[in-house]
């Protein structure tokens, strides 16, 4: 009975050895942390909401999915079905970040300006502003992709050296 209990607990801890998962989470964390500094550099103020918010430089979504695809490719091979799935997911997320989400953010800016200019007695004048920082410029997405790739390659090299 103890043997099955031991093997089942090792299954739970095996998640901490999952290279694609760890690479993705690390790339996301690094990207979000960098946003704190890019916001400070651009706006000369610290904004802790940038640690969890979307939009901005670099794209944490792009960093995350690029790290995932690269880790799957390095671990399972770049010719397999798993890499193909990860690559398509990465392509969709990166395309969406510069397309739909970027334009939704720009529309939110316009709508917020319209609401701001409404007379005080208008029913919508007191409505809460829409979030404007939703998507990414192509440069932010590319930098996120480079960050995700670099994070995974460095992690892979470290694991090779450690063996």
């Amino acid at each position: 009975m103890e043997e099955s209990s031991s093997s089942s607990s090792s299954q739970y801890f095996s998640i901490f050895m999952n290279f694609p998962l760890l690479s993705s989470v690390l790339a996301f964390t690094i990207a979000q942390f960098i946003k704190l500094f890019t916001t400070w550099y651009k706006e000369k103020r610290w904004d802790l909401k940038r640690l969890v918010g979307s939009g901005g430089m670099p794209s944490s979504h792009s960093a995350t999915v690029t790290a995932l695809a690269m880790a799957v490719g390095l671990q399972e091979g770049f010719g397999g079905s798993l890499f193909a799935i990860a690559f398509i997911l990465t392509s969709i997320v990166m395309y969406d970040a510069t397309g739909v989400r970027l334009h939704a953010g720009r529309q939110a800016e316009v709508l917020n300006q319209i609401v701001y200019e409404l007379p005080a007695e208008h029913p919508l004048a007191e409505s809460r502003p829409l979030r404007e920082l939703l998507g990414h410029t192509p440069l932010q997405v590319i930098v996120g992709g480079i960050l995700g790739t670099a994070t995974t390659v460095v992690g892979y090299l470290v694991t090779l050296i450690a063996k």
Side-chain angles (χ1 to χ4, degrees):
M1 191 67 126
E2 281 184 40
E3 197 173 305
S4 71
S5 171
S6 172
S7 69
S8 107
S9 68
S10 67
Q11 283 181 326
Y12 295 120
F13 290 113
S14 68
I15 195 168
F16 298 110
M17 301 302 291
N18 185 316
F19 181 62
L21 178 63
L22 294 176
S23 296
S24 300
V25 169
L26 182 60
F28 175 84
T29 303
I30 292 169
Q32 290 299 110
F33 191 71
I34 290 171
K35 286 181 187 185
L36 189 65
F37 292 97
T38 57
T39 301
W40 176 83
Y41 180 77
K42 186 176 177 183
E43 301 176 14
K44 301 297 185 238
R45 67 181 178 90
W46 293 106
D47 184 2
L48 294 179
K49 287 186 262 176
R50 299 305 306 135
L51 289 173
V52 293
S54 61
M57 173 68 91
S59 167
S60 56
H61 291 87
S62 295
T64 303
V65 294
T66 304
L68 175 66
M70 182 61 80
V72 167
L74 289 169
Q75 184 172 297
E76 305 293 331
F78 290 95
S81 298
L82 288 177
F83 176 73
I85 293 167
F87 179 80
I88 295 301
L89 172 70
T90 299
S91 301
I92 292 168
V93 168
M94 293 173 86
Y95 175 80
D96 182 63
T98 58
V100 175
R101 288 181 44 230
L102 177 64
H103 294 287
R106 289 181 178 165
Q107 288 176 351
E109 284 180 47
V110 172
L111 290 171
N112 285 339
Q113 185 62 37
I114 290 169
V115 170
Y116 177 75
E117 294 174 3
L118 289 173
E121 61 274 359
H122 193 281
L124 294 176
E126 296 298 317
S127 63
R128 197 178 80 179
L130 299 170
R131 285 185 45 221
E132 297 176 3
L133 196 55
L134 299 173
H136 297 281
T137 64
L139 178 63
Q140 293 168 340
V141 169
I142 290 167
V143 171
I146 292 169
L147 174 64
T149 300
T151 301
T152 301
V153 169
V154 168
Y156 186 73
L157 292 174
V158 167
T159 59
L160 287 179
I161 292 169
K163 286 184 179 180

